Amino acid sequence: YSRKSASVLKFFIQDVILSISSPKIKAICLDFDNTLWEGVIGNENNFLNLFEKSRSSFLLFQNKLKELKNHGILLCLVTKNNSNDIDLFFDKNKSMPLKLSDFIIVKSNWAAKSKNIIEIYKELNINPDTFLYFDDSDFELEEVRVKLPEIRSHKVSVGNLTNLISLVPEFQEIISR
């Protein structure tokens, strides 16, 4: 194996062991830019139909998240964006499978992601070890891993979007129906 392959395999095996030995996932915290859609809000002037320009993998990812939500998994949005921009984006992109109302909590501010996630699990009154966190940023993932090591985190990329949720063993039964 190459070093990169070995590293990917290491994290996959680590995640499998954690998911087997850890409590069931109750909530998923998601970044927004380059995680739920392909782009960065701050780089856009007009939010109309931006989601439609995203690759189909983002559509599949959102559909899987919607399916998990429909099976009782709580979805939370944790993003470093202005809340007005998030509201406007969802309003202008009706073709997205996920709607703003699908998220039980939206934290759209410039605070550390770990701080927002702590507020979320306290507000929901559920243990942090029942959370899953998806982000495309290595910096944000590392910040959450350091401050909240009990939260299972996964890096999002265009290449792994369609398989990302199926890598979580406890979701296999839900998404294979």
Side-chain angles (χ1 to χ4, degrees), residues 47-177:
F47 297 157
L48 186 61
N49 298 324
L50 284 179
F51 180 74
E52 291 176 5
K53 297 174 186 170
S54 295
R55 295 176 216 207
S56 62
S57 53
F58 288 91
L59 175 68
L60 293 171
F61 184 58
Q62 283 200 25
N63 280 326
K64 288 180 181 182
L65 288 167
K66 184 93 166 184
E67 192 173 347
L68 291 172
K69 183 226 174 224
N70 292 338
H71 280 87
I73 303 297
L74 304 173
L75 299 182
C76 305
L77 191 60
V78 181
T79 180
K80 288 186 175 176
N81 281 298
N82 296 320
S83 59
N84 291 345
D85 289 344
I86 294 294
D87 294 343
L88 188 58
F89 186 93
F90 276 97
D91 187 53
K92 299 286 185 185
N93 290 274
K94 303 286 187 196
S95 65
M96 283 182 33
L98 288 174
K99 308 301 179 207
L100 196 54
S101 60
D102 289 319
F103 296 93
I104 190 161
I105 295 176
V106 175
K107 296 286 185 181
S108 182
N109 57 46
W110 300 96
K113 298 274 180 104
S114 60
K115 179 183 182 293
N116 283 322
I117 294 171
I118 290 168
E119 289 176 7
I120 289 170
Y121 72 69
K122 285 181 177 179
E123 191 173 330
L124 294 174
N125 196 28
I126 57 178
N127 291 332
D129 60 359
T130 62
F131 276 73
L132 191 57
Y133 171 58
F134 291 119
D135 203 314
D136 68 308
S137 166
D138 290 327
F139 174 81
E140 301 294 354
L141 287 163
E142 186 61 23
E143 190 268 334
V144 169
R145 280 188 186 126
V146 167
K147 299 267 172 71
L148 300 166
E150 64 274 30
I151 290 180
R152 290 168 261 180
S153 302
H154 293 278
K155 181 174 174 87
V156 172
S157 70
V158 172
N160 75 355
L161 271 173
T162 55
N163 297 322
L164 195 56
I165 290 178
S166 60
L167 292 177
V168 181
E170 63 191 86
F171 293 156
Q172 290 296 322
E173 187 177 316
I174 295 172
I175 61 172
S176 63
R177 291 180 186 174

